[in-house]
Amino acid sequence: MVRAMNAPLVTPRFRIAPSPTGYFHVGGARTALYNWALAKRLGGTFVLRIEDTDAERNRPEWNQGIIDALAWIGIHADDPTFEGPYFQSQYAEHHVAEAQRLFANGAAYYCDMTSDQIQERAKAEGVTGYAGWSRELGLGPGPGRVLRFRVPEGSTVVNDLVRGEVTFDNATIEDFVLLRGNGSPMFLLANVVDDVTMRISHVIRAEEHLPNTPKQQMLWEALGHEPPVWAHVPLLVNEQRKKISKRRDKVALESYRDEGYRADAMVNYLMTLGWSPGDEEIQPWVAMQEAFALEDVAKSPAFFDLKKLAAFNGTYIRAMSVDEFVAATEPWCAQWREAHPDAMWNAEQFAAMSPFIQQRATTLAEAPGVVDFMFLPNPQFDEKDLSKAWAVEDAAALVAETIAAFETCDWTDEAMKAAFDAIAEAHGLKPGKAQAPIRVAITGRTVGPPLYEAMELLGRDEVLRRLRALPGSVHVA
RNA sequence: GCCCCCAUCGUCUAGUGGCCUAGGACACCACCCUUUCAAGGUGGCGGCACGGGUUCGAAUCCCGUUGGGGGUGCCA
């Protein structure tokens, strides 16, 4: 309060503290974005601290994955706002030293009970957890002994920018472990000590950490510091309304990138989960960066909706210039070429068809598949579509007459359309319906991009060849 | 069990006591456009969890109920 009335002594410092135990989580990405928006707008600093203290589960190769994932969503390590990455494991000595300080001034004590002993005694005494049994034993450090925080009497009020004041009765908080029996620091301790050391002013993280907050706030105070500004943003949940997790949901940011979601679409979508950018939800990053405020963040969990993400992505794809689109789809086109060594990829034709692809695709990855029939030696016939084609009235005659007309007409999409429309009309059919056999002959399917445009690019010889080769049409010509 | 959080269309949200006959977006449905499929356009369906208060007036404030979620580790 007092601080807010004066000019800030230092610029605000934000942080994200992911642990390298897997791919980068979309929820972590949203939290990062919120922190990043504030750091950028307020001229502050965004610290990346990788919390790699769980030796059992950590894998060093994930570290680069975190940095790459952040870079993908526009949080670049070479931006002056960015600081780090720091690796928590390198500060273990300092964490232990601070814990000793807590022990020295009586804020923490050693306990020699094992988990089993605690469980047994709790059961015997009818209490739920560890009830401070070693508090007054005056134990010193020793093998197998954990260091516990002496939770003071009273209550702890957490002032949260999105939740308001949250009060915890300290009696409901057990004396939590600071140092393990092997002397290594626990998350609660390491996290706070690092935040203190790195002069973090704002801790913005997911709501799952709210129950940890009173403990951490007590730690900040016991360590002799003013707690930071807290803000707990709503969880991202799945269809069952449960926190999305690695085990049951697709949460890896990288997988969306690899499936052809655009970074700006993902960023835009993520920002709207728990926050609204205003009248128009499709917004460029800079606009959201300027508008974002923790006070406006919603309190209730948000469903991570793939369908809406896809809609955002489609909107962003359609907003690209054709050149941008062609360049952006290249990685997936390259994959397609690799998977089809016998195909004759034609970059000019792909580019020429791109405006049509753009308005159909919801991901970049789908792009080659929309027009792949053009480059394959033969279309891949869909059985159902093939029978649909032959179900069209006068199908055989339609194909035969189309072959005849295409042998001589001008080779432009307009001329082909005019010729075919005339044929369809002569049979008393709507062109759209009569087109099915022709479309299947050329593309293998009844649905796809505009036909005449594709045929013009394919060339007369190839189109006639495909028309004559339509499976089931052998008796016609 | 205990602690904590949350509660507006199916979903994401706007809404901070009268501008609400509750607005937008996604999804869904219909129609239009149309060479298929899309895209685009127009329209439709659909919601303040419930019960008490407070108030001249409540989606908005208070209490309770119910429901959902998170936490409850020598994980982070």
Side-chain angles (χ1 to χ4, degrees):
Chain A
M1 285 301 176
V2 179
R3 199 186 299 167
M5 294 167 70
N6 305 310
L9 279 80
V10 290
T11 58
R13 290 172 63 81
F14 302 85
R15 51 73 154 181
I16 61 160
S19 53
T21 54
Y23 291 102
F24 197 64
H25 194 288
V26 287
R30 194 215 28 194
T31 303
L33 253 10
Y34 284 177
N35 276 283
W36 183 247
L38 258 15
K40 293 292 280 184
R41 179 159 61 80
L42 271 23
T45 302
F46 173 100
V47 174
L48 168 62
R49 183 176 69 235
I50 296 179
E51 305 214 326
D52 55 348
T53 53
D54 184 354
E56 306 258 315
R57 294 197 301 163
N58 288 326
R59 305 264 298 280
E61 56 265 42
W62 300 127
N63 293 337
Q64 189 59 40
I66 291 172
I67 292 165
D68 292 345
L70 287 172
W72 184 61
I73 54 174
I75 301 175
H76 297 284
D78 57 9
D79 188 300
T81 299
F82 190 103
E83 188 179 300
Y86 295 108
F87 293 92
Q88 186 162 70
S89 58
Q90 295 180 354
Y91 304 96
E93 269 182 44
H94 185 224
H95 304 149
V96 172
E98 288 294 275
Q100 301 300 356
R101 199 154 70 78
L102 257 17
F103 172 63
N105 69 201
Y109 62 93
Y110 280 96
C111 166
D112 61 357
M113 291 179 77
T114 65
S115 306
D116 288 346
Q117 289 173 323
I118 290 168
Q119 265 191 357
E120 260 176 55
R121 181 152 176 190
K123 200 175 170 188
E125 295 187 12
V127 295
T128 41
Y130 179 77
W133 292 301
S134 305
R135 266 193 172 205
E136 312 306 335
L137 263 35
L139 259 32
R145 291 180 179 174
V146 300
L147 184 69
R148 289 181 180 274
F149 183 74
R150 190 188 302 272
V151 174
E153 309 239 306
S155 61
T156 302
V157 179
V158 170
N159 224 299
D160 189 295
L161 244 33
V162 346
R163 315 262 149 201
E165 267 189 12
V166 185
T167 304
F168 296 84
D169 182 351
N170 290 4
T172 66
I173 301 171
E174 68 176 38
D175 288 348
F176 52 95
V177 174
L178 263 20
L179 255 27
R180 297 187 180 90
N182 65 8
S184 65
M186 290 276 294
F187 158 73
L188 252 13
L189 201 231
N191 188 260
V192 169
V193 169
D194 283 344
D195 282 345
V196 169
T197 307
M198 294 172 188
R199 306 182 334 276
I200 299 304
S201 61
H202 293 67
V203 173
I204 302 166
R205 68 230 300 197
E207 198 202 329
E208 55 189 313
H209 288 291
L210 190 52
N212 286 151
T213 310
K215 299 178 187 175
Q216 297 196 311
Q217 184 162 299
M218 286 188 275
L219 237 25
W220 273 82
E221 284 159 0
L223 255 13
H225 297 275
E226 279 279 306
V229 173
W230 306 106
H232 289 87
V233 303
L235 245 27
L236 260 31
V237 298
N238 61 22
E239 215 153 5
Q240 287 73 241
R241 300 252 114 207
K242 299 212 185 296
K243 164 172 101 160
I244 50 173
S245 75
K246 227 184 305 172
R247 287 196 56 153
R248 49 185 181 232
D249 306 295
K250 194 172 81 177
V251 298
L253 189 64
E254 294 90 328
S255 70
Y256 290 96
R257 177 190 62 199
D258 297 345
E259 285 170 21
Y261 287 87
R262 281 179 53 100
D264 48 11
M266 177 59 89
V267 165
N268 196 159
Y269 177 61
L270 250 15
M271 287 297 287
T272 66
L273 257 24
W275 178 72
S276 167
D279 295 333
E280 182 51 62
E281 63 182 2
I282 300 289
Q283 292 279 343
W285 168 255
V286 284
M288 293 191 287
Q289 180 183 298
E290 292 313 305
F292 181 77
L294 286 168
E295 290 77 4
D296 299 331
V297 172
K299 296 185 184 74
S300 35
F303 172 48
F304 186 75
D305 187 352
L306 269 339
K307 279 193 175 164
K308 189 144 187 181
L309 205 215
F312 268 61
N313 206 47
T315 300
Y316 273 90
I317 285 177
R318 266 166 255 124
M320 283 191 267
S321 73
V322 176
D323 287 348
E324 282 171 339
F325 178 76
V326 170
T329 53
E330 175 49 27
W332 291 276
C333 293
Q335 275 179 27
W336 186 89
R337 276 179 246 125
E338 235 169 272
H340 300 84
D342 57 333
M344 294 284 290
W345 181 265
N346 183 314
E348 288 74 37
Q349 292 184 2
F350 178 79
M353 290 300 287
S354 281
F356 306 122
I357 305 171
Q358 253 182 290
Q359 62 186 196
R360 260 152 271 258
T362 55
T363 68
L364 263 13
E366 295 163 16
V370 176
V371 290
D372 61 353
F373 65 88
M374 296 175 73
F375 314 125
L376 256 9
N378 288 297
Q380 289 181 311
F381 293 102
D382 178 280
E383 284 302 324
K384 271 193 185 147
D385 287 355
L386 200 49
S387 46
K388 258 190 242 170
W390 286 109
V392 172
E393 202 180 326
D394 298 341
L398 248 18
V399 173
E401 289 165 37
T402 301
I403 290 171
F406 283 7
E407 277 172 340
T408 57
C409 77
D410 283 350
W411 201 248
T412 64
D413 59 330
E414 292 93 344
M416 280 183 270
K417 178 176 172 0
F420 185 78
D421 285 356
I423 293 168
E425 197 184 342
H427 285 267
L429 293 168
K430 292 217 167 192
K433 191 161 187 223
Q435 194 197 65
I438 312 304
R439 177 173 285 280
V440 171
I442 304 302
T443 73
R445 317 202 337 147
T446 55
V447 301
L451 228 208
Y452 304 110
E453 288 78 354
M455 290 197 294
E456 182 178 345
L457 290 165
L458 236 25
R460 194 193 302 267
D461 290 350
E462 177 64 8
V463 166
L464 290 174
R465 187 187 72 76
R466 292 193 182 192
L467 248 16
R468 292 190 178 109
L470 176 61
S473 68
V474 277
H475 305 300
V476 177

